[in-house]
Amino acid sequence: GIQVEQSPPDLILQEGANSTLRCNFSDSVNNLQWFHQNPWGQLINLFYIPSGTKQNGRLSATTVATERYSLLYISSSQTTDSGVYFCAGGGYQKVTFGTGTKLQVIP
Amino acid sequence: DVKVTQSSRYLVKRTGEKVFLECVQDMDHENMFWYRQDPGLGLRLIYFSYDVKMKEKGDIPEGYSVSREKKERFSLILESASTNQTSMYLCASSLASDLGTQYFGPGTRLLVL
């Protein structure tokens, strides 16, 4: 099956800083999603982005499907951005999750 | 807003017990999923269902079964709970036509003693 690798595994940021999270996948995907898991465990879908670029407020994502990677950009980070960010890739129904990037934003 | 609910946030069971985890979604989604999440391993798919009474094995189905008798409800069953099934269990759903965007429930933390 498809392998999904995320980097970095851990990240500590000062509030207001920018960051880039990366997701590499081992094969072509029809489905690529980014999620944020808050400290209470709730997973929220951030982007569905099998290709191209999308933006939502301070977050944006870019997927280069031909090179099998996706990037999540967080600008002007806030303490509420803390948690674990997952990417997941695969087919239209079934996806494989990476092991996540744990982000801590400190005041 | 899509709402996915799970029957319990925390559950403590004994080895050998039969355990039922329930998931309900209120948006008429065709697809439903059960994952487990363990530290350092991300989320791993146990089973998914793309229609009532239909199910497919995920990556780690051993020791689990599922039931989908109604479109809105997807149950995960641990026939005989073991300590290595202590984990966080997450349910998700998606529309077949929504190109796969998944919506998650709050999770159930299961401890098997």
Side-chain angles (χ1 to χ4, degrees), chain B:
Chain B
D1 270 358
V2 176
K3 193 164 184 184
V4 181
T5 57
Q6 295 183 227
S7 48
S8 307
R9 288 302 306 269
Y10 301 94
L11 209 51
V12 180
K13 295 292 181 181
R14 297 237 174 244
T15 301
E17 280 192 78
K18 191 168 185 175
V19 181
F20 292 87
L21 303 182
E22 300 277 318
C23 175
V24 178
Q25 49 92 6
D26 67 357
M27 289 302 292
D28 206 33
H29 284 178
E30 290 86 3
N31 301 327
M32 296 188 76
F33 308 83
W34 275 107
Y35 295 89
R36 63 177 282 177
Q37 182 179 12
D38 301 289
L41 296 177
L43 279 73
R44 292 178 292 166
L45 182 64
I46 304 171
Y47 269 97
F48 72 101
S49 167
Y50 52 89
D51 202 351
V52 175
K53 297 191 186 294
M54 306 303 287
K55 62 186 178 185
E56 284 203 22
K57 293 180 180 179
D59 300 317
I60 50 164
E62 297 79 18
Y64 304 94
S65 62
V66 290
S67 171
R68 192 162 181 207
E69 297 296 319
K70 294 185 177 180
K71 191 175 184 180
E72 67 270 20
R73 188 180 297 268
F74 192 33
S75 302
L76 180 69
I77 303 152
L78 288 67
E79 294 288 343
S80 177
S82 62
T83 54
N84 62 15
Q85 293 178 309
T86 290
S87 188
M88 169 77 119
Y89 290 88
L90 290 155
C91 174
S93 70
S94 70
L95 267 175
S97 62
D98 196 23
L99 302 178
T101 303
Q102 293 190 16
Y103 300 88
F104 279 83
T108 296
R109 287 197 181 274
L110 173 66
L111 173 62
V112 182
L113 299 173

Side-chain angles (χ1 to χ4, degrees), chain A residues 14-104:
Chain A
Q14 200 77 41
E15 199 168 23
N18 302 328
S19 63
T20 301
L21 282 57
R22 186 177 178 107
C23 175
N24 292 327
F25 34 99
S26 61
D27 205 347
S28 301
V29 295
N30 296 312
N31 184 341
L32 193 287
Q33 301 178 49
W34 283 97
F35 295 87
H36 174 229
Q37 186 172 41
N38 66 24
W40 297 271
Q42 179 69 55
L43 270 152
I44 303 294
N45 189 290
L46 298 174
F47 294 104
Y48 172 81
I49 188 165
S51 64
T53 297
K54 288 186 178 179
Q55 180 153 8
N56 184 2
R58 294 180 297 102
L59 301 181
S60 64
T62 294
T63 297
V64 183
T66 53
E67 297 188 23
R68 299 178 189 168
Y69 72 89
S70 184
L71 302 173
L72 178 70
Y73 304 97
I74 304 173
S75 64
S76 304
S77 58
Q78 301 176 357
T79 55
T80 51
D81 294 331
S82 296
V84 184
Y85 290 81
F86 290 100
C87 69
Y92 289 118
Q93 290 178 325
K94 181 181 164 186
V95 293
T96 298
F97 279 75
T99 54
T101 291
K102 186 174 182 180
L103 173 64
Q104 185 180 358

